[in-house]
Amino acid sequence: MKRRLRRLVVAILVSGLLTACSAGAGSAPQPTSTSTAGEDSSLVIGFSAEPANLDFTRTDGAAIPEALLVNVYEGLVKLDQSTGEIVPLLAESWTVSEDRRTYEFTLREGVRFSNGAEFTAEDVKFSIERVKSDAWTISLKKGMDVVESVEVLSPTKVRVVLSKPSNSWLFAMTTRIGAMFSRTGVDDLANKPVGTGPYVLKSWRRGDSIVLERNENYWGEPPAIKTVTLRYFKDPTAMTNALLSGAIDVVGTLQAPEALDQFTDDDRFQVIEGTTNGEVTLAFNNESGPTSDIRVRKAIKHAIDHQALLDTAWAGRGFLIGSHVPPTDPWYEDLTGLYPYDPKRAKDLLAEAGHEKLRLRFRIANLPYAVAAAQVVAAQLAEVGITAEIEPLEFPARWLDEVFTKADYDMSIVAHVEPRDISTFGNPEYYWRYDNKEVRDLLAQADAGTDEEQVTAMKRVARTIAEDAAADWLFLLPNLIVAKKDVTGLPKNRIGEAFDLTTLGRS
């Protein structure tokens, strides 16, 4: 598995990921589906994490952009899932000044929001400035801090000036903070999303499903599937059974990898196995409690047999990483050898810290991968004298409130799927409460430097947080999708926040 994913990663990098921060031009890629299912085609996709609401401007977590970004909301640019390249979307082209501080975007004409309002440069200015205001509260909004001004040049031209050169800003515009909003459509984002995308919200049954319907007034190529239902399952077995019984057409992210074999040799289904940037992270509270002691954090890392954990918790499917960098990022470096499995060393460090017998509050997201991994972690920590008291918290609402916002925990587990979010280790207020000036300075150098300087500085960031045991990275989630044979256009890799529905079809 590991060798297979390494080959996949190399292919992605060769195909253009290293150019992801350069200027672009041309037309947005169109759906590749050859579906002949007709005007009334439909698709039901199973997921595990349901949004708490539909407002990703004020609610953290990946479930909302997974459903709405690219599908309902669009940005000026987006991330091509097959290459990792930044490609045009609502901007048909853009230029970058020689000093790398000024971006001028030319917008597509004839674009309208789902509420009927015309999309213009005024909406771009409104959307970017709104991220910088108190209207946005999520942690990722910091990606827009570098914007100094936004100037409307004409209805289809807008100039964005940065306070300093930034390698990360255009990439950040592919995420939720780059979503374009209607000036007349932000009154009830939690319930009524208004975007320019190929789908609109038809209905939402909390605790069950979200139904998206094709936007008949969409500016671009209409998606092949008219109605897409996103169904949410707390039990991974129930989701796989729903596929077997025909209640759903696709398992969007398989949460029971041990069940994969039953589909592999069944000619009714197709199995897709690729990679993601979802780091399953064992988070430590670096500010308070026993894990504020680096010796305790190092002991925990030495006490975990990561390969055994991957084999037991996720059927050996995934990729071992040693820092908060997936192999699809240009600054990836294999750091898995920094803390080899060494229970004796773990016990010595705990004794040195005065914690031969230690109890930790292990408050995790109640998601299948987190629960499975937590059970293995707890068992391995028990071998060195640490009692990890597992407390699953309802995700997203309770986990976001108590762990993410209040940092009321010693250890936690959740997958970080936001692309290139290693920058969170430069924010002392982020939930792992990691405070290191050297890391903050390196992140700033990386953002303002040349491509080569960026890679060098980011590698140092990754190594520093790994050596500091700021967290432990259990494994990288694979992209495991199981679907009926006639579903086309499913993504091989998931390297962004959105589950892009625009490529899907039925043969």
Side-chain angles (χ1 to χ4, degrees):
M1 174 65 186
K2 187 171 180 177
R3 287 193 297 271
R4 219 163 43 238
L5 278 176
R6 281 190 186 278
R7 289 196 297 269
L8 176 63
V9 164
V10 169
I12 293 172
L13 289 175
V14 169
S15 65
L17 186 63
L18 292 176
T19 64
C21 287
S22 62
S27 58
Q30 302 299 341
T32 57
S33 166
T34 57
S35 171
T36 57
E39 289 299 307
D40 296 327
S41 57
S42 63
L43 205 61
V44 183
I45 306 176
F47 292 101
S48 59
E50 181 188 11
N53 61 66
L54 302 180
D55 183 5
F56 56 58
T57 74
R58 303 185 68 82
T59 305
D60 272 293
I64 311 174
E66 178 177 64
L68 301 185
L69 195 60
V70 176
N71 303 316
V72 173
Y73 291 108
E74 295 180 309
L76 299 181
V77 292
K78 76 171 185 175
L79 202 62
D80 186 296
Q81 291 298 300
S82 62
T83 67
E85 187 179 3
I86 297 174
V87 295
L89 194 52
L90 292 177
E92 61 181 18
S93 64
W94 65 92
T95 60
V96 185
S97 63
E98 190 172 337
D99 65 2
R100 298 166 47 226
R101 289 185 51 218
T102 302
Y103 290 72
E104 290 192 3
F105 296 92
T106 299
L107 309 182
R108 298 185 186 279
E109 297 185 23
V111 177
R112 290 191 176 273
F113 289 98
S114 57
N115 64 357
E118 185 181 5
F119 169 70
T120 71
E122 292 287 355
D123 298 294
V124 178
K125 178 178 174 67
F126 168 78
S127 298
I128 292 176
E129 291 180 346
R130 194 168 184 272
V131 179
K132 295 169 63 68
S133 75
D134 292 339
W136 279 69
T137 61
I138 67 165
S139 54
L140 291 178
K141 67 174 289 183
K142 289 183 177 294
M144 205 66 85
D145 287 353
V146 71
V147 173
E148 183 176 276
S149 65
V150 185
E151 181 183 356
V152 173
L153 304 178
S154 76
T156 59
K157 289 189 180 295
V158 63
R159 175 183 295 144
V160 180
V161 179
L162 309 183
S163 59
K164 58 185 179 182
S166 173
N167 291 312
S168 63
W169 179 74
L170 191 63
F171 188 89
M173 290 294 286
T174 70
T175 72
R176 69 193 83 169
I177 68 171
M180 294 292 109
F181 291 88
S182 166
R183 288 163 286 166
T184 58
V186 293
D187 292 339
D188 188 13
L189 294 178
N191 300 291
K192 297 178 181 178
V194 175
T196 61
Y199 286 97
V200 296
L201 177 69
K202 181 178 180 181
S203 64
W204 177 24
R205 292 178 57 193
R206 286 167 173 79
D208 180 75
S209 60
I210 291 174
V211 179
L212 302 178
E213 192 166 61
R214 186 163 54 205
N215 180 359
E216 300 299 341
N217 296 313
Y218 183 53
W219 60 268
E221 183 75 20
I225 302 297
K226 180 178 181 180
T227 304
V228 180
T229 300
L230 313 180
R231 280 196 58 192
Y232 296 96
F233 296 82
K234 293 187 181 299
D235 180 359
T237 302
M239 180 154 48
T240 55
N241 287 341
L243 180 61
L244 288 166
S245 68
I248 65 176
D249 302 299
V250 181
V251 173
T253 304
L254 190 70
Q255 295 292 311
E258 68 280 357
L260 199 60
D261 291 343
Q262 68 182 307
F263 296 103
T264 303
D265 298 321
D266 190 328
D267 59 11
R268 296 175 299 166
F269 303 104
Q270 58 180 307
V271 174
I272 292 175
E273 186 170 351
T275 191
T276 74
N277 52 8
E279 304 100 347
V280 178
T281 305
L282 177 64
F284 302 138
N285 189 329
N286 285 257
E287 182 180 56
S288 63
T291 52
S292 63
D293 188 326
I294 190 173
R295 294 169 297 184
V296 172
R297 301 196 303 272
K298 288 182 174 182
I300 292 170
K301 290 171 74 76
H302 278 302
I304 296 174
D305 183 338
H306 291 79
Q307 186 60 57
L309 182 147
L310 180 61
D311 292 342
T312 304
W314 221 238
R317 298 181 183 276
F319 188 83
L320 298 182
I321 52 176
S323 191
H324 204 80
V325 184
T328 46
D329 282 350
W331 37 86
Y332 170 75
E333 183 179 7
D334 185 356
L335 299 177
T336 54
L338 286 180
Y339 289 93
Y341 177 55
D342 189 344
K344 182 182 183 303
R345 177 59 179 153
K347 290 179 180 178
D348 291 344
L349 284 165
L350 290 170
E352 183 183 326
H355 288 298
E356 289 90 345
K357 291 189 180 297
L358 180 62
R359 302 185 78 86
L360 296 175
R361 294 181 307 144
F362 198 6
R363 313 188 76 196
I364 65 170
N366 68 336
L367 297 171
Y369 67 82
V371 173
Q375 292 169 344
V376 180
V377 168
Q380 293 185 346
L381 294 186
E383 295 295 319
V384 300
I386 298 175
T387 299
E389 300 173 333
I390 300 174
E391 182 186 359
L393 300 178
E394 187 273 324
F395 186 91
R398 193 175 172 209
W399 186 89
L400 285 173
D401 177 48
E402 298 187 26
V403 173
F404 188 85
T405 302
K406 298 175 181 174
D408 185 12
Y409 76 105
D410 294 322
M411 296 192 304
S412 186
I413 294 179
V414 77
H416 285 258
V417 301
E418 294 83 2
R420 299 188 183 179
D421 62 344
I422 189 174
S423 60
T424 57
F425 286 92
N427 177 9
E429 297 179 3
Y430 200 72
Y431 82 101
W432 26 62
R433 299 295 197 263
Y434 177 72
D435 190 356
N436 185 321
K437 185 179 183 300
E438 179 189 2
V439 166
R440 292 196 294 276
D441 291 344
L442 284 169
L443 287 168
Q445 292 171 25
D447 197 31
T450 64
D451 289 347
E452 183 179 350
E453 290 168 341
Q454 180 188 26
V455 170
T456 299
M458 292 302 287
K459 282 185 175 181
R460 287 180 60 191
V461 169
R463 181 172 288 274
T464 300
I465 64 174
E467 290 174 345
D468 280 355
D472 190 30
W473 297 274
L474 302 179
F475 60 94
L476 190 74
L477 281 173
N479 183 40
L480 298 177
I481 297 177
V482 183
K484 292 180 180 177
K485 208 74 169 181
D486 69 334
V487 179
T488 62
L490 290 162
K492 175 75 172 178
N493 303 307
R494 292 274 307 275
I495 56 175
E497 295 183 288
F499 192 100
D500 190 343
L501 303 175
T502 64
T503 62
L504 304 184
R506 304 199 81 149
S507 60

